[in-house]
Amino acid sequence: MKNRIVDTNLHLSDFKEIYRKLYPKLSVYATLFLSQDEAHDVVQEVFVSVWENQSLIMEEASIHSYLYRAVYNRCIDVLRKQYTKEQYASTVRTEILEKEANYFHPDNHEIENRLFSQELYDTVHSEIEKLPAKCQEVFRLYYYEQKSAKEISEALDLSRSTVENHIYNGMKTLKKRFSNYQFILFLLLIQLPQW
């Protein structure tokens, strides 16, 4: 049968009856394509559209087949939108990963270049040499040789709390002597093995 526009002004009672009978079936049908929540939303939208545009409903075999086709078409639209969003998100993720890779490339990364600069090493070593002798010794063992506070206390015959105080005071003194930026670079630098 060829589609044609017909006057189908539904009475509210007829519409409610169609809704009551077909809503559950259409929802199950829509879940073949979408999640349950999305399926319910699609079916709701179709019924709202039918009610708002009832004078423009195409006469197909029946309102039954019209509703199934409308639900199908809306499901396909939702899937297309999801696919487009996923494609866009994938493209954005790829761009972000490329930018991160470029940002952290050693030739393009200012912090990394500064971190590995001789100037920073010289500044750090110079400031460490200004620490009191025992503090300097503990600090070097802890950060240069990666010794634990316990190992240092045994090697230098100091209590563990004294060693921890020297480490704390050394760090506190260096923090005062460095700019915030230099101190952050220093913290990054001491995390590197064999710095």
Side-chain angles (χ1 to χ4, degrees):
M1 179 184 283
K2 194 172 187 180
N3 291 339
R4 62 187 176 87
I5 298 176
V6 295
D7 184 12
T8 59
N9 287 319
L10 295 170
H11 294 286
L12 184 58
S13 60
D14 295 334
F15 182 79
K16 285 181 180 179
E17 184 64 21
I18 292 168
Y19 182 87
R20 187 187 64 74
K21 285 182 179 178
L22 292 180
Y23 181 86
K25 293 176 184 178
L26 290 168
S27 293
V28 169
Y29 176 66
T31 59
L32 296 173
F33 306 97
L34 306 171
S35 71
Q36 191 172 9
D37 289 339
E38 291 170 324
H40 287 295
D41 290 345
V42 161
V43 174
Q44 287 285 352
E45 290 170 11
V46 166
F47 273 107
V48 168
S49 178
V50 165
W51 181 255
E52 290 175 347
N53 301 300
Q54 56 183 295
S55 63
L56 301 176
I57 294 175
M58 305 296 272
E59 181 182 332
E60 295 183 18
S62 67
I63 189 76
H64 180 272
S65 62
Y66 175 83
L67 289 171
Y68 272 90
R69 181 164 306 285
V71 167
Y72 172 82
N73 289 336
R74 293 260 177 140
C75 287
I76 297 302
D77 288 344
V78 168
L79 290 173
R80 281 187 188 128
K81 287 177 185 174
Q82 287 174 350
Y83 177 74
T84 302
K85 284 180 185 177
E86 288 171 12
Q87 267 188 320
Y88 178 75
S90 176
T91 302
V92 168
R93 276 192 296 273
T94 301
E95 288 176 9
I96 289 171
L97 290 174
E98 287 173 2
K99 286 180 181 182
E100 282 180 355
N102 287 334
Y103 181 77
F104 289 110
H105 189 280
D107 296 337
N108 297 333
H109 197 268
E110 181 183 339
I111 291 177
E112 207 167 298
N113 289 335
R114 288 189 183 198
L115 187 60
F116 294 113
S117 75
Q118 188 61 44
E119 179 185 339
L120 179 62
Y121 283 104
D122 294 345
T123 303
V124 167
H125 291 295
S126 169
E127 291 302 323
I128 290 173
E129 287 176 8
K130 293 177 185 175
L131 294 172
K134 197 49 94 175
C135 182
Q136 185 182 137
E137 184 179 12
V138 169
F139 200 84
R140 286 182 189 277
L141 288 170
Y142 189 76
Y143 287 107
Y144 286 24
E145 297 181 25
Q146 305 293 310
K147 302 276 186 191
S148 69
K150 182 180 177 187
E151 291 172 323
I152 296 169
S153 70
E154 290 170 0
L156 299 180
D157 196 31
L158 298 171
S159 72
R160 188 171 175 169
S161 64
T162 302
V163 169
E164 290 170 352
N165 283 338
H166 281 304
I167 294 167
Y168 173 79
N169 290 333
M171 190 63 78
K172 185 175 167 185
T173 301
L174 291 174
K175 185 174 183 191
K176 288 179 187 175
R177 292 183 184 163
F178 291 136
S179 68
N180 285 342
Y181 181 74
Q182 286 176 320
F183 189 69
I184 290 170
L185 288 176
F186 165 70
L187 292 175
L188 290 171
L189 182 65
I190 62 176
Q191 298 304 313
L192 295 174
Q194 303 297 318
W195 68 282

